[in-house]
Amino acid sequence: MSARIGAILIHGLGGTQYDLGSMHKILQRGGVETHAITLAGHGTRPEDLIGVRAEQWVDAVEAQYRELRPQYDQLHIMGMCMGSLVALVLAERVEHAAAAGRLVTLAPPIYIDGWSTPWYSSLRGLFYRIPGVATRMKVEEGEPFGIKNTLVRAVVKAKFERGDNFHYPWVPLICVRQVDRLRAWAMAGARNIKAPTLVVHAREDELTSLRSADFLKAQVADARVVVLENSYHMICVDNDRDLVANSILDFFGLPPQEFRTRRRERDAAPAQGL
């Protein structure tokens, strides 16, 4: 009887499961049952993020993990961007280890120091302390939208302009404070993570530099790093998406897949569920 394998996939700040592109379908084709959760404040409107705390995100995913874990021989944890921080915190909290499954962090923003980070981002701690300011300030999604591929970027831009609800067009600064709290927890707990860990990170990530991948490589006992050379932050839908997928499949001990998106780049965006 074959082992039953599951995976929890965690989206990023302001996002949905589409942050992970086709990973749900790819894993399912490989025999992995995937599970997603819409984190508190997401999937509705950006204003709903005001007042949400990082504890709510971690607690919700922990509840999902504890419900699912007895059902599987292996239950993997995977997160994208902020979701990777939640995944790191979760893995430490539940003492996720090799016998339980593996951990995948995609573009983990341990440091928010990418090439497009505005100079005033270091002042956000001051804004947090000024009553009402962080609640009113908006962090806008703008080009390049974390995407180097010009076709996919154009599709994403058009979806933002239409108001499609696949990702918020902005998030309140106050919720970035919760991401900063997650970053601190992930940094403090990384040395305690027991599960084999895969870190996939783009060299040209505009949000977070390779310092983040280097940090996890140094702190996590069993970590391997894949560096992407032709993507920005949204690595599951960008130029290196096939490499991302096959790196994850290999890490899970599953056979690689052949992808046809390279033949006709115009098919890329629909293939990713965008």
Side-chain angles (χ1 to χ4, degrees), residues 131-198:
V133 171
T135 301
R136 294 192 301 270
M137 287 187 67
K138 298 180 179 181
V139 180
E140 304 275 355
E141 281 286 346
E143 293 200 45
F145 305 111
I147 300 170
K148 189 173 185 178
N149 182 292
T150 54
L151 174 62
V152 179
R153 187 192 307 167
V155 172
V156 169
K157 183 177 181 180
K159 291 180 78 66
F160 273 124
E161 291 173 348
R162 290 198 304 267
D164 290 2
N165 195 24
F166 72 106
H167 198 288
Y168 289 154
W170 59 271
V171 296
L173 180 63
I174 192 66
C175 75
V176 178
R177 183 177 190 178
Q178 302 306 313
V179 177
D180 285 338
R181 297 177 68 222
L182 282 171
R183 290 174 50 239
W185 298 343
M187 293 178 76
R191 66 174 65 91
N192 300 322
I193 290 177
K194 300 177 175 64
T197 300
L198 176 66

Side-chain angles (χ1 to χ4, degrees), residues 7-10 24 34-39 57-72 75-78 86 90 94:
I8 295 173
L9 278 59
I10 311 168
H24 282 278
T34 62
H35 301 270
I37 187 171
T38 301
L39 299 175
W57 299 329
V58 178
D59 289 349
V61 179
E62 180 183 359
Q64 183 185 41
Y65 178 92
R66 294 193 182 281
E67 177 184 355
L68 293 172
R69 178 67 190 96
Q71 303 175 32
Y72 292 97
L75 180 63
H76 304 305
I77 304 171
M78 182 188 311
V86 175
L90 172 68
V94 301

Side-chain angles (χ1 to χ4, degrees), residues 20 46 48 64-65 70 90 129 145 151 157 199 216 219 238-239 244 247 260 264:
L20 291 116
D48 292 336
Q64 183 185 41
Y65 178 92
L90 172 68
R129 292 192 291 271
F145 305 111
L151 174 62
K157 183 177 181 180
V199 183
L216 292 175
Q219 293 291 315
D238 211 343
N239 291 318
V244 173
S247 295
R260 291 176 292 178
R264 301 171 68 182

Side-chain angles (χ1 to χ4, degrees), residues 111-134:
Y111 300 99
I112 300 179
D113 60 348
W115 55 263
S116 75
T117 306
W119 65 269
Y120 55 82
S121 65
S122 61
L123 300 176
R124 64 184 182 274
L126 174 62
F127 296 143
Y128 296 157
R129 292 192 291 271
I130 302 174
V133 171

Side-chain angles (χ1 to χ4, degrees), residues 5-42:
I5 303 173
I8 295 173
L9 278 59
I10 311 168
H11 65 76
L13 180 63
T16 62
Q17 62 178 323
Y18 294 119
D19 290 355
L20 291 116
S22 292
M23 283 311 307
H24 282 278
K25 294 179 181 178
I26 291 167
L27 289 173
Q28 288 165 7
R29 287 198 293 266
V32 179
E33 299 177 32
T34 62
H35 301 270
I37 187 171
T38 301
L39 299 175
H42 292 78

Side-chain angles (χ1 to χ4, degrees), residues 35-106:
H35 301 270
I37 187 171
T38 301
L39 299 175
H42 292 78
T44 51
R45 56 181 191 147
E47 293 87 350
D48 292 336
L49 283 168
I50 298 172
V52 174
R53 294 180 61 80
E55 287 88 346
Q56 293 173 253
W57 299 329
V58 178
D59 289 349
V61 179
E62 180 183 359
Q64 183 185 41
Y65 178 92
R66 294 193 182 281
E67 177 184 355
L68 293 172
R69 178 67 190 96
Q71 303 175 32
Y72 292 97
D73 297 287
Q74 282 195 312
L75 180 63
H76 304 305
I77 304 171
M78 182 188 311
M80 170 67 201
C81 188
M82 184 192 79
S84 67
L85 300 177
V86 175
L88 286 161
V89 175
L90 172 68
E92 185 204 10
R93 181 185 286 190
V94 301
E95 298 184 353
H96 191 62
R102 298 193 163 211
L103 171 64
V104 176
T105 64
L106 304 171

